[in-house]
């Protein structure tokens, strides 16, 4: 896969002098990666999730120094928005968790929330500001990492789909067999088609990108109910998630829907 995961793996392995081949049916960042928001954030659903996302965030901060402008990396911070006092309690719990794990986070009341984001509704209870979070244009970043892998000796094969993974072999749709000591399945939502033991269920989402409204919002904004919506098992869900882009555009999300791919 030539999405963000496959491209990152290819760059890292090529840097270590391994011989790398990347296979993708359609092209760099044309699948799951293209449908993401590029939000780089430490999540606190579980200790394992936090450890992984916090480490990932540190790696992105290091990589940011070399990313070209077209990757649109920006350390804008995240505000978890609380609509009421119950959600403010959740914000305080998140702050305590982050503080205990070395991440700076600031509680905002109604007044300081509006100072940070004047275009939010005035009736909101407050929120939690996590200044260290960032955003990246993930399609550009995937292409950059893939180009980096190629410069380090990797081969990229576009236009031929992997049909089957077996021990030490990848069979392509055209019948070609590629032998490898190590195979990474980075096929995103389609990964279980190649590795049936993976329990991956596709879930459709919708994103919108607006015209340019420079300065309309300054931070990634997420409602505190987002995680319940994102990880719930109901057929349909919608959660407030808004991201500023350095083009002046605003990326709006995000809905989730099982059982639909069209």
């Amino acid at each position: 896969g030539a999405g963000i995961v496959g491209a990152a793996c290819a760059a890292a392995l090529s840097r270590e002098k391994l011989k790398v081949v990347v296979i993708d049916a359609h092209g760099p960042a044309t699948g799951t990666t293209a449908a993401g928001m590029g939000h780089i954030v430490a999540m606190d659903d579980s200790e394992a999730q936090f450890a992984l996302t916090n480490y990932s965030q540190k790696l992105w901060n290091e990589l940011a120094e070399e990313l070209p402008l077209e990757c649109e990396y920006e350390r804008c911070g995240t505000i978890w928005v609380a609509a009421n006092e119950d959600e403010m309690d959740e914000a305080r719990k998140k702050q305590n968790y982050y503080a205990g794990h070395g991440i700076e986070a600031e509680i905002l009341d109604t007044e300081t929330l509006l100072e940070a984001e004047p275009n939010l509704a005035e009736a909101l209870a407050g929120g939690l500001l996590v200044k260290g979070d960032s955003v990246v244009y993930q399609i550009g970043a995937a292409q950059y990492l893939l180009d980096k892998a190629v410069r380090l000796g990797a081969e990229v094969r576009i236009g031929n789909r992997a049909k089957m993974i077996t021990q030490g072999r990848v069979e392509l749709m055209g019948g070609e067999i590629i032998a490898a000591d190590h195979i990474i399945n980075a096929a995103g939502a389609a990964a279980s088609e190649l590795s049936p033991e993976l329990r991956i269920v596709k879930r459709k989402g919708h994103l919108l990108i607006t015209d340019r409204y420079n300065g309309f919002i300054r931070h990634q904004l997420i409602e505190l109910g987002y995680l319940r919506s994102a990880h719930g098992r109901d057929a349909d869900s919608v959660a407030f998630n808004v991201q500023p882009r350095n083009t002046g555009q605003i990326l709006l999300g995000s809905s989730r829907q099982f059982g639909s791919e069209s």
Side-chain angles (χ1 to χ4, degrees), residues 76-166:
C76 61
T78 299
I79 296 179
W80 295 87
V81 180
N84 51 49
E85 283 305 314
D86 287 341
E87 292 187 353
M88 281 301 296
D89 288 340
E90 290 297 317
R92 295 182 187 99
K93 290 177 183 177
K94 285 179 77 71
Q95 183 195 36
N96 289 335
Y97 182 91
Y98 284 144
H101 291 74
I103 293 181
E104 181 183 357
E106 176 187 350
I107 289 291
L108 305 177
D109 59 17
T110 300
E111 182 178 351
T112 52
L113 176 64
L114 288 175
E115 289 175 359
E117 291 291 347
N119 288 305
L120 283 173
E122 296 181 2
L124 296 169
L128 179 70
L129 170 61
V130 186
K131 295 181 179 179
D133 292 346
S134 52
V135 298
V136 68
Y137 181 47
Q138 72 280 3
I139 297 174
Q143 184 66 64
Y144 172 78
L145 290 168
L146 207 60
D147 291 343
K148 183 176 182 179
V150 170
R151 291 195 300 272
L152 293 170
E155 178 185 353
V156 178
R157 299 190 183 186
I158 300 300
N160 202 340
R161 185 180 182 88
K163 178 182 179 181
M164 182 184 303
I165 295 175
T166 56

Side-chain angles (χ1 to χ4, degrees), residues 87-262:
E87 292 187 353
M88 281 301 296
D89 288 340
E90 290 297 317
R92 295 182 187 99
K93 290 177 183 177
K94 285 179 77 71
Q95 183 195 36
N96 289 335
Y97 182 91
Y98 284 144
H101 291 74
I103 293 181
E104 181 183 357
E106 176 187 350
I107 289 291
L108 305 177
D109 59 17
T110 300
E111 182 178 351
T112 52
L113 176 64
L114 288 175
E115 289 175 359
E117 291 291 347
N119 288 305
L120 283 173
E122 296 181 2
L124 296 169
L128 179 70
L129 170 61
V130 186
K131 295 181 179 179
D133 292 346
S134 52
V135 298
V136 68
Y137 181 47
Q138 72 280 3
I139 297 174
Q143 184 66 64
Y144 172 78
L145 290 168
L146 207 60
D147 291 343
K148 183 176 182 179
V150 170
R151 291 195 300 272
L152 293 170
E155 178 185 353
V156 178
R157 299 190 183 186
I158 300 300
N160 202 340
R161 185 180 182 88
K163 178 182 179 181
M164 182 184 303
I165 295 175
T166 56
Q167 186 65 38
R169 292 157 54 98
V170 177
E171 180 181 346
L172 304 184
M173 293 298 291
E176 181 183 357
I177 301 294
I178 297 177
D181 292 333
H182 304 282
I183 299 168
I184 297 174
N185 182 350
S192 59
E193 297 174 15
L194 296 170
S195 303
E197 68 275 16
L198 296 176
R199 299 172 62 187
I200 295 175
V201 179
K202 295 181 180 179
R203 201 174 185 189
K204 179 183 175 182
H206 297 272
L207 294 174
L208 298 174
I209 188 79
T210 72
D211 287 335
R212 287 169 171 77
Y213 299 96
N214 289 308
F216 188 81
I217 61 171
R218 306 163 186 169
H219 305 81
Q220 174 94 28
L221 303 176
I222 311 178
E223 67 170 287
L224 272 158
Y226 172 84
L227 293 179
R228 290 191 297 274
S229 170
H231 299 163
R233 297 186 178 277
D234 293 336
D236 301 326
S237 67
V238 178
F240 175 79
N241 192 337
V242 182
Q243 179 183 109
R245 306 306 296 257
N246 66 8
T247 59
Q249 296 170 290
I250 301 169
L251 190 60
L252 303 171
S254 53
S255 64
R256 289 171 174 80
Q257 181 181 7
F258 285 118
S260 177
E261 295 186 34
S262 60

